[in-house]
Amino acid sequence: MKSAREACEAAIARIEATEAQVNAFTERTVSRARAEADAVDARRARGETLPPLAGVPFAVKNLFDVEGVTTLAGSKINRGMPVATADAVLVQRLKAAGAVLLGTLNMDEYAYGFTTENTHYGPTRNPHDLSRMSGGSSGGSGAAVAARQVPLALGSDTNGSIRVPASLCGVWGLKPTFGRLSRRGTYPFVHSLDHLGPLADSVETLALAYDAMQGPDPHDPGCHAPRVQPVLPRLGAGISGLRIGVLGGYFHTNATAPAQAAAHAVAQALGASDEVDWPQAGLGRAAAFIITASEGGSLHLEDLRTRAQDFEPLSVDRFISGALQPAHWYLRAQRFRRVYRDAVNELFRHWDLLIAPATPVAAPPIGTDWLDINGVKQPSRPAMGLLTQPVSFAGCPVAVAPMWPDGTGGLPIGVQLIAAPWREDICLRAAQALQDAGVAHCKEPAL
C-alpha cells in the first residue's frame, strides 16, 4: 500500500507531465497537499484508524473556496477579490475524510457554459483527444480525472455541468438530489438550480466522496436533505427487484445513434426494455433556461453595467439578455417547475431507475459552433445540455456511467442513471453493477 505522501507525489508528477496538454488546473496547492499527506501518514504511524479517503488526491472546480486562494469562478473579474479565508464546506468534509487537495480546476466563466472553452484561462482539452472539448462547466474536473491527474474531483451542476464533462471525458459522475449537499463556500450561479457533486475514476471513490460530504448544514438554507443516507454499504446490493425503464421520446429524438447505442447497452446490461416518456421534457428545459438566465443575469448586473468588457465573450450576451428578461417570465417558469416536479415524482411511483444518454454526441472539436443532431442543426454549446437540463430541473439524483460506443472514433458518451429524489443509493447501485460487469469503465487517456 502506498503511503499518502507517495500517492501525493505521484499525482503531482502526473499533473506536471500532462498539464501543459490538458490545461485542467488554474491553481496548484502543492505545499498544502504535501502537508495534508504527511498528516495522514503520521496518523497511520501512530496506529490510528484512518478515515475512508485517507491519502486520496483530489481537486476542485475553482468556484469552491480554498483557503488562501482567490475563488475565480472561471472569471477575469474575480481575480481582484481577496483570497478565501476558509475552505468550502465540502472541501472541509473531504479533508476530514483524509483526502488531499492538489488544487483548483478550470471551468466556464461563472459556470455559464457546457464546453470549458475559457477565454481568460484557455480551453481545457479532452484527454482522449486533445483537439476536442472536455465539456463544462466542470470541464477541468472531468479532464483532471480522465487524465489520471487525480482520482477524484468536485464540480457543480446547474443544468448538466457535472454530467456533460463526465460524459465527454469518460469518467463517473454524480449529481445528487437538489438540496442534498451543502453549497456554503462556493460561488453561486443559479441558486434555484445549483447542485454540487463528485467526479471520479471508480464508483467506489464516487460513493466514498459522496458519503463523506453528506450531512446537514444549518448555515445553508438550500441544504434540506431529510437525513444522511450512507451509500457505500449498499453498493453491492445489486439491481434485483428494481423497476428499470429506458427514456424514449425526447431523449431518443435528441440523441445521435452512438448516444442511443450507449443507452441501449446499459439497458441490456441492467435488464431494462420498457420505454418510458419523461413528462414535458422540452418545456422543462425551456423553463430551466429562463430561470438560469434571469438569476445569472441578476447576480452579475452591476458588473454587466460597469465591466461588460471583462466578461467571457461566450457568455456576456446571455447574461445581459437574462438580466433584461421580464419578471413574469421568471415567475411563470418557477410556477411551472412545481407542476413539473410533481409530474416527474409521479413517474417514480412506477419506476425505480430510468436510463438516458447524458449528451447527444461525443466530444466535438474545440471551437465547434453547430451540431447536426439527427438532421437538425443546433448551436453546439447549449445543445450539450439537451439531455441533462430536463432532469436537473426536477432535482433528481443522477449517476453518469462512462460508455464507449461504436461510431465515435474511440470517444466516450456517458449514460444517465436517474432515480427519484433522495435515492442516490439506487443510482450508485446500478453504476456499481455496470462497473462490476465491465460494461461501463474509465479508460487510459491518449496522453
Side-chain angles (χ1 to χ4, degrees):
M1 177 185 294
K2 283 185 178 180
S3 69
R5 183 60 180 264
E6 288 171 331
C8 176
E9 294 299 336
I12 292 169
R14 179 64 178 171
I15 293 166
E16 290 177 347
T18 58
E19 180 57 16
Q21 297 166 284
V22 177
N23 191 37
F25 280 78
T26 51
E27 184 84 19
R28 302 184 213 178
T29 54
V30 173
S31 296
R32 169 177 171 159
R34 286 175 171 148
E36 290 178 350
D38 289 346
V40 170
D41 287 337
R43 294 181 64 176
R44 179 184 284 113
R46 292 192 296 268
E48 296 180 19
T49 300
L50 295 179
L53 287 168
V56 174
F58 79 107
V60 301
K61 187 174 184 175
N62 69 29
L63 56 67
F64 285 80
D65 286 352
V66 171
E67 185 178 1
V69 175
T70 299
T71 306
L72 295 173
S75 72
K76 175 182 178 180
I77 290 171
N78 281 28
R79 289 178 193 167
M81 293 175 61
V83 299
T85 58
D87 291 339
V89 168
L90 298 191
V91 178
Q92 293 176 24
R93 290 178 178 178
L94 287 183
K95 180 181 177 181
V100 173
L101 182 67
L102 267 293
T104 60
L105 299 163
N106 201 13
M107 58 180 283
D108 288 291
E109 183 180 64
Y110 295 128
Y112 208 169
F114 282 124
T115 64
T116 313
E117 297 171 292
N118 191 304
T119 301
H120 309 308
Y121 304 102
T124 294
R125 299 181 178 275
N126 194 308
H128 298 289
D129 181 340
L130 295 170
S131 71
R132 294 177 181 268
M133 59 184 65
S134 61
S137 61
S138 309
S141 302
V145 174
R148 300 293 197 262
Q149 294 177 328
V150 289
L152 172 67
L154 294 188
S156 67
D157 190 311
T158 302
N159 291 302
S161 291
I162 287 171
R163 290 162 291 160
V164 170
S167 177
L168 300 192
C169 291
V171 301
W172 298 93
L174 177 67
K175 182 200 79 65
T177 306
F178 181 74
R180 171 67 85 182
L181 299 182
S182 173
R183 299 179 294 187
R184 186 156 54 98
T186 60
Y187 198 92
F189 174 27
V190 180
H191 181 78
S192 296
L193 298 171
D194 287 347
H195 308 63
L196 305 176
L199 301 92
D201 64 359
S202 72
V203 178
E204 294 87 352
T205 301
L206 202 67
L208 280 167
Y210 168 67
D211 281 349
M213 292 187 292
Q214 284 196 70
D217 181 0
H219 301 290
D220 178 4
C223 182
H224 53 266
R227 63 183 183 280
V228 175
Q229 296 179 316
V231 163
L232 191 68
R234 291 178 277 174
L235 273 191
I239 59 168
S240 178
L242 293 182
R243 302 165 297 172
I244 305 175
V246 184
L247 290 177
Y250 174 94
F251 290 87
H252 189 272
T253 302
N254 290 294
T256 59
Q260 294 173 21
H264 180 69
V266 167
Q268 280 192 313
L270 298 180
S273 58
D274 291 337
E275 187 171 296
V276 181
D277 284 328
W278 186 275
Q280 303 184 89
L283 286 176
R285 182 172 184 249
F289 266 127
I290 290 170
I291 293 170
T292 296
S294 293
E295 291 195 26
S298 177
L299 178 66
H300 298 287
L301 184 57
E302 184 57 33
D303 285 330
L304 290 167
R305 285 172 173 155
T306 60
R307 300 186 61 180
Q309 73 280 2
D310 291 329
F311 277 80
E312 165 68 66
L314 294 174
S315 63
V316 64
D317 290 346
R318 286 177 290 151
F319 276 126
I320 292 171
S321 64
L324 296 175
Q325 280 184 170
H328 72 270
W329 287 13
Y330 176 83
L331 294 173
R332 288 183 66 183
Q334 288 286 21
R335 292 189 189 109
F336 171 71
R337 188 182 182 194
R338 298 189 190 101
V339 176
Y340 182 79
R341 282 187 296 193
D342 288 345
V344 170
N345 289 339
E346 178 66 22
L347 194 66
F348 285 107
R349 289 183 56 193
H350 309 284
W351 302 98
D352 299 305
L353 185 77
L354 296 171
I355 297 165
T359 52
V361 297
I366 290 170
T368 298
D369 290 326
W370 295 92
L371 297 175
D372 185 318
I373 300 175
N374 299 332
V376 179
K377 187 178 180 181
Q378 304 215 33
S380 64
R381 293 174 182 91
M384 298 310 296
L386 270 168
L387 306 176
T388 53
Q389 282 182 282
V391 181
S392 45
F393 192 59
C396 296
V398 189
V400 172
M403 300 293 292
W404 306 84
D406 293 335
T408 64
L411 295 171
I413 297 180
V415 172
Q416 297 184 89
L417 307 171
I418 309 160
W422 316 116
R423 295 309 307 266
E424 288 84 355
D425 60 308
I426 290 177
C427 302
L428 291 168
R429 281 168 54 192
Q432 184 70 48
L434 293 170
Q435 180 178 268
D436 289 346
V439 174
H441 58 279
C442 300
K443 283 187 177 182
E444 288 294 324
L447 298 175

